[in-house]
Amino acid sequence: QVQLVESGGGLVQAGGSLRLSCAASGRTFSPFTMGWFRQAPGKEREFVAGFRLSGGNTYYADSVKGRFTISRDNAKNTVYLQMNSLKPEDTAVYYCGARRGFFTRIRDEYDYWGQGTQVTVSS
């Protein structure tokens, strides 16, 4: 089992920044693919950013490319999402997900999820 705990959400004005954290515990962290997803009210959970921990490529949704950056600290078993130039449409609950296999943007392919952290961007 893998446990994921997100933190770092909050209320920010448009144009501001936040950094989300996802702390993982449980089984060995390194073989996993990690992803950030978000879910706005009345919408489905959508892919935001992700990577496979053993590889070098990062992947982003077009809507956040150039504004968000995913990174990791292997020593702390933590994945981060730096969010800059935030827009009201970024308002959502942000979730961290993990899976054993190769990278995918497909939500249902992820095996583990955190509880989510709310991000609200005011205009």
Side-chain angles (χ1 to χ4, degrees):
Q1 284 288 347
V2 172
Q3 291 79 43
L4 304 173
V5 178
E6 302 98 334
S7 61
L11 173 64
V12 64
Q13 288 188 332
S17 298
L18 283 174
R19 189 178 78 158
L20 306 183
S21 300
C22 172
S25 61
R27 290 188 58 182
T28 303
F29 195 48
S30 58
F32 283 85
T33 287
M34 301 295 297
W36 283 99
F37 289 73
R38 67 186 181 186
Q39 187 167 15
K43 295 187 177 181
E44 293 195 352
R45 193 174 300 187
E46 63 176 5
F47 170 78
V48 174
F51 53 55
R52 183 166 171 80
L53 293 176
S54 60
N57 293 332
T58 55
Y59 304 89
Y60 297 94
D62 288 343
S63 59
V64 307
K65 202 171 294 183
R67 300 188 297 123
F68 291 10
T69 303
I70 189 171
S71 63
R72 62 183 181 264
D73 184 333
N74 289 337
K76 296 182 178 179
N77 280 353
T78 300
V79 175
Y80 303 99
L81 185 68
Q82 178 67 42
M83 306 186 296
N84 298 328
S85 302
L86 282 161
K87 304 175 181 180
E89 51 263 45
D90 294 319
T91 295
V93 177
Y94 283 71
Y95 296 90
C96 176
R99 70 184 303 269
R100 296 183 181 88
F102 293 104
F103 170 77
T104 177
R105 297 171 186 255
I106 301 174
R107 173 198 63 206
D108 293 344
E109 297 291 327
Y110 282 73
D111 304 306
Y112 306 100
W113 292 98
Q115 82 289 350
T117 185
Q118 176 70 48
V119 172
T120 303
V121 184
S122 63
S123 57

